[in-house]
Amino acid sequence: MADKYNAETIITETQKRISNAFDVFDHESNKTVDVREIGTIIRSLGCFPSEAELHDIIAELEEEEPTGFVRYEKFLPTMTKILLERKFRPIPEDLLLQAFEVLDQQKKGHLEPEELTKYLTQEGEPFTQEEMDEMLSAAVDPDKNVILYKDFVSMMTFDDNQ
Amino acid sequence: MKLQICLFLGVTFFSVSTADFSPPVVNISLDVPAFQRWAPLKNIYDINFLRKAASEVIDSTVPKWVHVAVKPIVEALEKYIPQPYAGEIQGMASFYGTDISDIVLLNFAYEVSAFCTSIVTQDTKGNIFHGRNLDYPHDVLKNLTLDVHFMKNGKVAYRGTTFAGYVGLWTGQSPNKFTVSGNERNKGHWWENVISAVLLKSSPVSWLIRETLEAAVDFQDAVVRLAKVPIITDVYYILGGVNAGEGVVVTRDRGGSADIWPLDPLNGKITVYTTVMSAATPEKYTTVVRDYSDSGKNLRHVLLKAMKAAVLIQRWYRQYAARMEMRRRYTWNIFQSMEYADLQDQMKLYNFLGYLMDNFTPSSSERNLISHIFRENEVCRDAEWERYFSYINIDVPDIYSGPRLTFPLDMDQVADLVEAFKNKQNGMPSMEKPYVFNGDFVDRGKDSIEILLILFAFLLVYPGDVYLNRGNHEDHIINLRYGFTKEVLGKYKLHGKRILKLLQKIFSWLPLVTVIDHRVLIVHGGISDTTDLALIARVDRHKYVSALKPPRKKTPSRSSLYADSERFDEMNICKNRRGSMTFPRPLGARESFQRRSLQDFSRTVARTAEEEFEVRRRQAEFSMSSFSKSHRILGSAPSTESEPDSSEIIDTGSDDWKQILDLLWSDPMSQDGCVPNEVRGGGCYWGPDITEDFLNRHNLQLIIRSHECKQDGYEFCHNRKVLTLFSASNYYQIGSNRGAFVRLGPDLVPYFVQYQATTLIRGLSFRQSLKRTEHNALKVLREQLFVHKSDLLSAFQELDKENTGLICLSDWASVIERVLQLDLPWRVLQPQLVSSTTDGMLDYHGWFRDLALKRPSSECIEQSMLETLYKHRSTLETIFRIVDTDNSGLISFEDFRQTLKLLSAYLKMEISDEVINELVISTDTNNDGSIDIDEFMEAFQLVDKIRIERGKSQLKFKQEYQNLPLEEKTSPSADSTGPQISQCSASRTEDSPGSHTEDCSSSQTQDLCDISVVVPPQ
């Protein structure tokens, strides 16, 4: 079967995947999507860009006179390149844990919801309130009312594998 | 210590040093509302000068397209721009007497007007000097410069230097605390700032400076704030404090990372920190910086580390959220494509009934069954009507002891609706708050009759404040298929049929459209290129008991004549819907029956064979002659000389009918034009041009319609001229969509309120409810895969030339794409539908085994037979329901056998008595000679294999983790009965009771798993 997976097949399959993902957001079926949904499409294809990187990709995808929409013809080559070059690789679980540990400055092994909210809505590429609430709804241990971040990370990674 | 700040105005400073360059000073009170704050500018500037200056700045800075792009921001200013800036900008606009968008542009334009140089330094005595040079890119700005004193409680809270029209600050002083100035790093473009501000909701630098001046308690606090808050553009902040050593340059990127270079207080040297833009090379920015102290290092280090950690977590979680969003979207796509399949089920039923009438003469042995089927649908004439429905005739049994005017209202279910009126949401109907309900009150869950009664009660209590529009479901034929008939007959065993008849009558009198203030049209479905409100106003709408068929002609005549003209009406439907048939079907005489409503068949049965023949012959001609014409041609074709008058009557009737059908059944489309609605089989698809034309013709500005479920409860199309509004949340499944209503103010600008009306879902996180909904969608999808098993199998085998039983996943996806024709993202769905692969290859036989039906005995029946029964199961169920006249849920073995026989003959498919017996045995478990309909339909449930397996493994992890016996944890799902079940099934449109229980128990298992699993699998 190895010969079946030559470079061309891989490109074709990658592009079909991109096309499928794009179509989910192409509400008018006219091969365009709202520029605000590009991030979701790129990420749902397994990429982990930062907001700033996303920003750069969008800048590349937009028309000279931005219309608020991105055309499939523009998206396909850019996205194919991103996927084939394996840019924006997944974040390893241990690195993620380390990040939570940095925020847990007193080394308690957990974070208070207020603490996490403060960091994630004020630092870096801040979450909106909506994003924060959504994350907390999954992250906060209902009994102890804290974020047991080790468990949380494991649970989310477990989710991914399904 | 002394803090000084020096301002250098422009490059001309030195050459005309005698002139007074002090800018005017204006006091802006922070104690007055944002809208009025900047009014004092009027005393300083000539308004015409300000306008001219503003347009000069905008024209030289802002590209033309931005003028367009900024419009939506302006329309929803509060959404994009935080207070008080939104208010101040609005106030500024009213004071300028100009468009708000100009002031917004002006503020963003200034944001990129690079201010060149700032200096912070200290002398040997520790005095801090903070300098700022204002060399403007626009000359005109010089004349707009002013010093602003922001006042609070009569005192100066902070000061700043800025320009008239601009609400932010780039230079400011907080008395006795600190000074601050901002310098652009000029990385990026104008439009990037806008995107950053609008999409990422980051703060413009100048607003952040103002906030810092207002809120920071001291120099250190100011540094931390400016280093952290996300901003729209890259910038240098330069800060000076009141103590020695308090001088710092903060380098910021848009996203966040900050670098902090403090003055070096230890050496006591004069150190100059500047950011400089060279006039010769404006693109090049340099920052002159030196060493930094240890304290600064620590601060910087901690901030950087936390920021990097935050970015990482944000990056990770956003990716997770995006995948969840993708799942939410494709779940939606599945439900939508399934709904279209469902609409086609309805056509299958009509086809089947038509076939029955066509092929079974009164003498045939199935005669009894057939008359049985159609007996229930005799028409109720106006003359008999009043007597029939006189409430005095309705006996209330003696055993009844409750209050007379109580309906079986289930408070839990109705609570949400009533709540929406009662509490904060919108309030009860009143003169000030009239309501329009836009159709489809029934067929929307188990409590349709209760909702209907509330609405009717409202109509009586608030006659001037409540308006009901008819929807396509206010139609007894539709109700038969979508569950309302079943609901009423189940709830009112004694009077159910009479109630249905009464409702049929009421439905026919419901208004078709409502127009608000001559501006807004409210209609259930939509319009077509022929929709004419003047015509609609004249229509005798009550004659259209079902919009699916034109009215009966009232001409008294011989019975055969009556029958004939009636048939022509039916032909109209037939012809109209021809375009809607999306599956192949045989041509010939049978064709003429396919769009028939159930109601007509009782009459047809009584017809003699000769009459039948004659009628059919003419129909054949009819349908041939008009086959190629558009769906709009109605009734003009028949040239039956014998009845010229009757055909004319039908003619006008058909025009009216077509008007009504379009109003109740149409959907908008994005392309121009007007074409028959192929999916729904009634009404049309209309394009933006039709909307435009219609609104112009009637001098209206907006169409509000319903008819299509939208994920957020509402959606605009046709350049915001058409608004789709859908109020039933959880339409497909719990969690599938939000509902919404719209409030129109005096200006008729729509304001939306969205909600989700299930108590069950509130306790679930977004993730859990999504999984539940997704699971239900995938289940429906697996049913579809099962139904197409034969076709899929042969397609797989064709690709699998060496007969290995394996295919690669890309082939799997393209085969399914081709066979099912469902327009779904199969490659995205694949991980959910294919549980195991070996080296990227799928064992398709094993995969099919996972799609097995529940009942093991069904294995005796061949696959194609099962597929067929499965495909037609909703037709079967409807027939069973009709045959079960006493609503006992049971039908006799003989009726069962005959129904299946009829179906098999219709499908040209042999069903042997043996197979039927097989089916009976597998269904009739207690051998009492009757078939339980629910139980029979239950056999057509797919085994929920994937969930069971997944549930098991998750429970196992839980068990290992908590070291608890497995039984204890599974028990809640095992005996799930009681209130949860009714809640769970509350918003289902229709399904057999059996499957409700099934859903509930398994979804509870799911909940348990979701909450408890904390250990990853190995």
Side-chain angles (χ1 to χ4, degrees):
Chain A
M1 286 296 149
D3 57 329
K4 232 188 151 180
Y5 285 95
N6 53 32
E8 207 170 299
T9 319
I10 290 168
I11 292 172
T12 319
E13 265 317 293
T14 305
Q15 298 202 331
K16 276 182 184 166
R17 270 179 63 212
I18 296 170
S19 160
N20 262 204
F22 189 91
D23 287 350
V24 173
F25 291 84
D26 176 14
H27 306 304
E28 305 256 315
S29 302
N30 60 358
K31 288 287 165 198
T32 61
V33 295
D34 193 305
V35 68
R36 285 167 295 189
E37 305 199 293
I38 282 292
T40 309
I41 299 175
I42 293 173
R43 289 184 168 121
S44 75
L45 283 163
C47 299
F48 288 69
S50 68
E51 287 292 282
E53 286 163 332
L54 195 58
H55 208 269
D56 292 343
I57 304 173
I58 290 173
E60 196 181 319
L61 292 172
E62 282 225 289
E63 308 293 313
E64 266 169 37
E65 302 235 321
T67 54
F69 289 90
V70 169
R71 286 181 301 130
Y72 180 65
E73 306 135 65
K74 276 223 161 184
F75 182 70
L76 184 66
T78 309
M79 198 61 218
T80 311
K81 194 159 172 278
I82 289 173
L83 288 179
L84 292 180
E85 289 176 4
R86 293 173 179 270
K87 286 187 192 164
F88 315 122
R89 300 292 290 275
I91 296 166
E93 204 178 317
D94 55 340
L95 197 62
L96 193 61
L97 265 180
Q98 277 174 31
F100 276 103
E101 277 160 9
V102 167
L103 301 189
D104 177 18
Q105 288 181 359
Q106 287 120 58
K107 307 294 164 220
K108 303 186 294 275
H110 65 258
L111 284 160
E112 307 292 331
E114 298 74 30
E115 221 175 341
L116 187 67
T117 305
K118 195 188 86 184
Y119 283 118
L120 297 186
T121 59
Q122 293 177 14
E123 303 280 4
E125 304 181 320
F127 277 165
T128 62
Q129 196 54 45
E130 203 183 335
E131 281 175 307
M132 198 61 231
D133 291 348
E134 201 185 288
M135 180 175 181
L136 286 179
S137 78
V140 176
D141 181 289
D143 298 328
K144 303 192 177 106
N145 198 34
V146 295
I147 295 112
L148 304 165
Y149 50 83
K150 263 190 198 123
D151 293 349
F152 176 57
V153 168
S154 320
M155 180 176 80
M156 300 293 264
T157 334
F158 173 66
D159 243 21
D160 288 0
N161 295 338
Q162 298 209 357
Chain B
M1 297 294 157
K2 200 171 142 210
L3 173 69
Q4 300 177 344
I5 187 152
C6 322
L7 293 174
F8 307 99
L9 290 185
V11 285
T12 50
F13 181 72
F14 298 104
S15 55
V16 270
S17 55
T18 49
D20 177 15
F21 279 98
S22 307
V25 177
V26 62
N27 288 350
I28 298 298
S29 170
L30 297 172
D31 300 323
V32 303
F35 190 80
Q36 297 160 14
R37 278 182 195 165
W38 293 90
L41 289 187
K42 273 187 234 174
N43 308 328
I44 301 173
Y45 295 103
D46 173 56
I47 200 69
N48 289 324
F49 165 70
L50 284 185
R51 273 190 217 141
K52 194 168 151 279
S55 66
E56 196 177 309
V57 173
I58 293 170
D59 288 347
S60 65
T61 319
V62 184
K64 278 281 179 289
W65 62 265
V66 179
H67 293 257
V68 183
V70 85
K71 287 281 181 208
I73 302 176
V74 174
E75 276 167 26
L77 201 63
E78 282 89 353
K79 202 172 144 198
Y80 292 111
I81 298 183
Q83 291 296 0
Y85 311 108
E88 290 184 16
I89 286 172
Q90 281 164 334
M92 199 80 84
S94 85
F95 150 62
Y96 267 63
T98 170
D99 200 64
I100 296 181
S101 64
D102 281 351
I103 303 295
V104 172
L105 284 175
L106 194 62
N107 273 272
F108 277 100
Y110 279 152
E111 193 76 2
V112 288
S113 308
F115 310 110
C116 312
T117 313
S118 293
I119 298 170
V120 65
T121 184
Q122 72 179 39
D123 63 14
T124 45
K125 292 174 191 146
N127 292 318
I128 304 287
F129 291 86
H130 184 171
R132 133 81 89 210
N133 189 8
L134 300 176
D135 19 347
Y136 301 119
H138 307 289
D139 246 19
V140 68
L141 290 181
K142 275 183 224 162
N143 300 323
L144 292 175
T145 304
L146 71 157
D147 271 340
V148 185
H149 291 182
F150 290 90
M151 311 295 286
K152 230 178 195 171
N153 300 323
K155 285 185 189 152
V156 177
Y158 56 97
R159 296 192 301 255
T161 305
T162 186
F163 320 97
Y166 191 53
V167 300
L169 284 182
W170 281 90
T171 310
Q173 307 118 50
S174 182
N176 300 317
K177 289 176 188 160
F178 61 93
T179 60
V180 57
S181 59
N183 282 48
E184 291 248 21
R185 292 172 66 197
N186 198 30
K187 201 177 148 202
H189 299 286
W190 206 100
W191 61 270
E192 288 184 291
N193 293 341
V194 181
I195 288 187
S196 183
V198 173
L199 294 189
L200 310 178
K201 300 237 185 329
S202 298
S203 179
V205 174
S206 62
W207 300 352
L208 180 61
I209 292 181
R210 241 183 91 176
E211 277 151 33
T212 307
L213 283 165
E214 188 165 353
V217 293
D218 56 22
F219 172 77
Q220 202 67 18
D221 187 25
V223 173
V224 172
R225 281 166 189 270
L226 291 172
K228 289 203 321 191
V229 178
I231 43 178
I232 66 170
T233 184
D234 303 338
V235 72
Y236 297 113
Y237 295 115
I238 296 87
L239 287 104
V242 289
N243 301 311
E246 289 186 341
V248 74
V249 176
V250 181
T251 308
R252 281 293 311 267
D253 286 338
R254 187 179 281 122
S257 59
D259 233 338
I260 298 168
W261 291 295
L263 284 171
D264 180 356
L266 296 176
N267 301 326
K269 284 182 195 160
I270 299 176
T271 318
V272 180
Y273 296 88
T274 57
T275 63
V276 181
M277 182 178 83
S278 142
T281 53
E283 296 306 315
K284 243 188 179 154
Y285 279 68
T286 48
T287 309
V288 185
V289 281
R290 301 279 148 76
D291 48 83
Y292 36 77
S293 70
D294 279 349
S295 64
K297 213 184 219 167
N298 281 341
L299 177 64
R300 175 173 165 250
H301 184 68
V302 169
L303 276 170
L304 265 182
K305 231 178 139 185
M307 221 169 277
K308 277 182 181 159
V311 169
L312 194 85
I313 294 169
Q314 284 152 351
R315 200 151 65 90
W316 165 74
Y317 187 78
R318 283 197 168 109
Q319 202 269 346
Y320 177 83
R323 272 179 304 129
M324 295 299 271
E325 178 64 11
M326 173 58 91
R327 286 162 75 172
R328 192 175 78 95
R329 295 296 180 105
Y330 71 58
T331 298
W332 179 254
N333 286 7
I334 294 172
F335 282 131
Q336 275 199 321
S337 64
M338 288 306 144
E339 182 171 37
Y340 294 143
D342 201 42
L343 287 166
Q344 293 180 355
D345 274 357
Q346 193 181 334
M347 296 177 194
K348 285 184 205 157
L349 176 65
Y350 286 145
N351 279 355
F352 179 50
L353 293 175
Y355 168 81
L356 289 187
M357 295 326 306
D358 200 20
N359 285 270
F360 293 87
T361 58
S363 60
S364 74
S365 61
E366 289 85 358
R367 168 81 183 86
N368 280 340
L369 176 70
I370 293 170
S371 64
H372 203 55
I373 292 176
F374 300 117
R375 193 172 59 203
E376 294 312 310
N377 297 287
E378 75 273 3
V379 203
C380 190
R381 318 216 153 276
D382 279 6
E384 307 156 10
W385 188 76
E386 274 183 46
R387 191 165 45 80
Y388 188 70
F389 290 114
S390 166
Y391 69 91
I392 301 164
N393 294 339
I394 296 183
D395 301 320
V396 180
D398 294 338
I399 48 158
Y400 176 74
S401 59
R404 293 289 162 126
L405 281 177
T406 300
F407 307 106
L409 290 174
D410 180 338
M411 282 319 292
D412 277 348
Q413 310 300 337
V414 187
D416 280 316
L417 178 74
V418 178
E419 222 27 44
F421 288 106
K422 258 194 350 205
N423 68 22
K424 315 94 202 173
Q425 289 266 34
N426 213 38
M428 298 295 270
S430 66
M431 275 277 273
E432 295 74 37
K433 231 173 247 168
Y435 279 81
V436 181
F437 293 92
N438 199 21
D440 282 11
F441 316 125
V442 299
D443 286 337
R444 293 285 175 269
K446 290 200 317 173
D447 304 301
S448 295
I449 185 76
E450 285 81 5
I451 288 169
L452 198 63
L453 289 172
I454 288 174
L455 292 178
F456 287 165
F458 273 155
L459 201 60
L460 296 174
V461 178
Y462 310 102
D465 312 323
V466 169
Y467 300 87
L468 305 181
N469 277 355
R470 189 175 183 178
N472 65 315
H473 278 264
E474 276 68 57
D475 186 315
H476 65 106
I477 295 180
I478 297 292
N479 296 155
L480 201 62
R481 166 69 178 76
Y482 283 91
F484 183 57
T485 306
K486 191 169 140 191
E487 178 191 334
V488 172
L489 291 176
K491 284 179 179 170
Y492 304 91
K493 301 230 185 272
L494 212 53
H495 305 294
K497 279 171 206 150
R498 223 187 281 191
I499 291 170
L500 284 175
K501 285 264 148 52
L502 178 59
L503 289 176
Q504 198 171 311
K505 197 81 191 170
I506 296 172
F507 287 166
S508 72
W509 279 99
L510 286 174
L512 298 163
V513 300
T514 302
V515 178
I516 298 178
D517 290 354
H518 306 289
R519 309 305 290 165
V520 180
L521 175 82
I522 304 179
V523 59
H524 181 75
I527 56 166
S528 73
D529 52 353
T530 56
T531 300
D532 180 345
L533 292 185
L535 209 65
I536 287 159
R538 289 199 302 270
V539 167
D540 287 329
R541 60 174 185 268
H542 69 282
K543 286 183 187 164
Y544 298 85
V545 177
S546 170
L548 289 178
K549 76 186 269 308
R552 280 162 195 292
K553 198 167 57 67
K554 286 288 167 68
T555 326
S557 64
R558 294 160 291 137
S559 63
S560 62
L561 178 65
Y562 188 93
D564 278 359
S565 56
E566 186 188 315
R567 296 303 291 271
F568 282 120
D569 291 350
E570 283 147 18
M571 277 314 298
N572 291 333
I573 306 180
C574 185
K575 174 161 52 72
N576 264 280
R577 307 192 132 211
R578 195 171 300 279
S580 70
M581 308 306 290
T582 48
F583 52 94
R585 60 199 182 292
L587 287 169
R590 190 186 302 169
E591 188 83 334
S592 56
F593 286 95
Q594 66 197 353
R595 284 292 138 243
R596 180 93 48 88
S597 67
L598 282 174
Q599 203 172 43
D600 309 312
F601 289 112
S602 56
R603 205 159 296 279
T604 324
V605 173
R607 212 179 275 154
T608 66
E610 292 92 314
E611 280 172 335
E612 192 81 273
F613 176 78
E614 177 58 16
V615 168
R616 220 175 297 148
R617 191 186 57 76
R618 267 186 279 159
Q619 277 165 358
E621 288 170 16
F622 187 114
S623 77
M624 293 312 284
S625 67
S626 49
F627 185 83
S628 59
K629 295 184 184 172
S630 90
H631 80 304
R632 304 175 12 194
I633 304 168
L634 294 164
S636 52
S639 52
T640 37
E641 306 79 20
S642 55
E643 299 139 22
D645 52 340
S646 75
S647 71
E648 211 176 311
I649 290 167
I650 296 161
D651 202 8
T652 54
S654 299
D655 273 346
D656 291 352
W657 168 70
K658 145 81 172 140
Q659 289 275 332
I660 292 175
L661 198 66
D662 286 344
L663 292 175
L664 299 184
W665 282 85
S666 299
D667 294 317
M669 62 175 178
S670 51
Q671 300 81 17
D672 278 348
C674 189
V675 297
N677 198 323
E678 298 196 349
V679 174
R680 293 192 190 269
C684 67
Y685 287 115
W686 86 93
D689 57 331
I690 307 291
T691 296
E692 198 63 40
D693 174 64
F694 175 85
L695 292 176
N696 287 340
R697 257 192 299 128
H698 294 88
N699 197 21
L700 296 166
Q701 64 187 37
L702 175 69
I703 298 173
I704 300 180
R705 43 88 59 178
S706 300
H707 203 39
E708 284 176 289
C709 187
K710 296 292 173 190
Q711 204 163 9
D712 293 320
Y714 71 92
E715 193 176 288
F716 276 106
C717 63
H718 292 187
N719 198 21
R720 291 178 75 88
K721 294 281 175 56
V722 173
L723 166 65
T724 299
L725 191 70
F726 199 85
S727 304
S729 57
N730 310 313
Y731 176 58
Y732 296 120
Q733 291 286 350
I734 291 178
S736 67
N737 65 293
R738 287 194 283 179
F741 64 85
V742 64
R743 202 180 286 159
L744 295 177
D747 48 1
L748 299 179
V749 173
Y751 169 76
F752 299 97
V753 181
Q754 298 168 295
Y755 50 85
Q756 190 117 29
T758 321
T759 45
L760 191 67
I761 205 151
R762 286 182 199 135
L764 299 177
S765 71
F766 169 76
R767 205 167 60 90
Q768 289 164 330
S769 63
L770 171 69
K771 275 188 171 178
R772 173 199 295 271
T773 317
E774 181 193 31
H775 177 86
N776 285 327
L778 290 172
K779 191 172 147 193
V780 179
L781 207 52
R782 278 197 292 272
E783 288 176 4
Q784 285 300 309
L785 291 169
F786 172 81
V787 165
H788 293 88
K789 183 176 167 181
S790 309
D791 293 342
L792 288 172
L793 192 63
S794 56
F796 287 153
Q797 280 165 342
E798 207 170 295
L799 287 168
D800 177 23
K801 294 232 160 54
E802 289 155 35
N803 205 17
T804 56
L806 300 171
I807 47 156
C808 68
L809 287 174
S810 61
D811 286 343
W812 174 87
S814 40
V815 163
I816 288 183
E817 207 160 44
R818 197 177 65 234
V819 173
L820 264 71
Q821 299 278 329
L822 276 178
D823 198 19
L824 284 172
W826 294 105
R827 285 166 190 84
V828 178
L829 293 166
Q830 172 240 306
Q832 307 288 333
L833 291 168
V834 177
S835 46
S836 68
T837 53
T838 327
D839 296 336
M841 302 297 282
L842 170 73
D843 165 15
Y844 53 85
H845 294 294
W847 181 69
F848 278 125
R849 272 196 297 279
D850 286 349
L851 297 171
L853 281 184
K854 263 186 186 158
R855 216 162 280 271
S857 60
S858 54
E859 278 165 18
C860 312
I861 303 157
E862 59 177 302
Q863 171 66 24
S864 57
M865 171 75 200
L866 274 181
E867 282 178 29
T868 309
L869 288 179
Y870 206 101
K871 268 183 203 157
H872 293 271
R873 70 192 192 282
S874 78
T875 300
L876 265 179
E877 186 177 356
T878 309
I879 305 268
F880 287 154
R881 298 275 170 218
I882 298 169
V883 171
D884 175 26
T885 47
D886 58 357
N887 294 298
S888 61
L890 302 171
I891 54 170
S892 72
F893 173 71
E894 191 49 29
D895 283 348
F896 178 81
R897 196 186 65 83
Q898 287 192 9
T899 308
L900 282 182
K901 277 279 181 198
L902 291 172
L903 186 69
S904 71
Y906 165 60
L907 297 170
K908 297 211 174 73
M909 174 162 197
E910 195 56 46
I911 305 184
S912 66
D913 282 349
E914 204 177 295
V915 170
I916 292 176
N917 284 336
E918 199 71 62
L919 279 171
V920 170
I921 291 163
S922 74
T923 309
D924 180 24
T925 41
N926 56 359
N927 294 311
D928 62 356
S930 54
I931 310 291
D932 185 320
I933 302 171
D934 291 334
E935 226 179 277
F936 181 77
M937 297 319 295
E938 168 85 352
F940 291 95
Q941 295 278 325
L942 289 184
V943 179
D944 219 344
K945 216 167 182 173
I946 289 178
R947 164 176 285 181
I948 290 167
E949 278 167 6
R950 194 179 284 179
K952 266 186 201 153
S953 65
Q954 293 195 353
L955 283 169
K956 207 167 119 235
F957 294 127
K958 184 186 170 63
Q959 187 194 12
E960 282 164 5
Y961 183 67
Q962 300 196 339
N963 216 5
L964 287 172
L966 184 61
E967 289 73 22
E968 213 178 299
K969 290 289 126 183
T970 43
S971 56
S973 65
D975 47 32
S976 70
T977 50
Q980 282 115 325
I981 286 172
S982 60
Q983 274 181 332
C984 182
S985 53
S987 61
R988 303 282 297 263
T989 22
E990 48 139 16
D991 213 332
S992 67
S995 70
H996 288 165
T997 321
E998 168 62 25
D999 281 347
C1000 282
S1001 59
S1002 36
S1003 46
Q1004 280 188 346
T1005 318
Q1006 185 74 18
D1007 291 350
L1008 186 70
C1009 300
D1010 282 341
I1011 296 160
S1012 57
V1013 172
V1014 284
V1015 182
Q1018 292 309 307

